[in-house]
Amino acid sequence: MSLLPPPGPARRLALMALAVCVLSVAAAVVAFVEGSVVGVVWILLAGISSNMAWFYLRKAKIQRSGAAG
């Protein structure tokens, strides 16, 4: 059983949100290493995109279970 839902719009949105989350965490690390306070903004963006990824994965799972039963 795959952790990801079948291909579809919700899966694509979840993967894009996850990519944004990973990239924003990397940007936050770089910003904090350079001594910039802008890293706080990157951390907030990571939190929002993480929540979006969970939302779209859950939405796809609910749609899949609704179609199956």
Side-chain angles (χ1 to χ4, degrees), residues 4 12-23 49-50 52-53 57:
L4 292 176
R12 276 193 303 272
L13 288 170
L15 290 175
M16 284 190 257
L18 187 62
V20 169
C21 181
V22 169
L23 290 173
S49 60
S50 170
M52 288 175 62
L57 283 174

Side-chain angles (χ1 to χ4, degrees), residues 41-55:
V41 175
W42 289 114
I43 292 294
L44 293 174
L45 182 63
I48 291 170
S49 60
S50 170
N51 286 341
M52 288 175 62
W54 280 113
F55 172 78

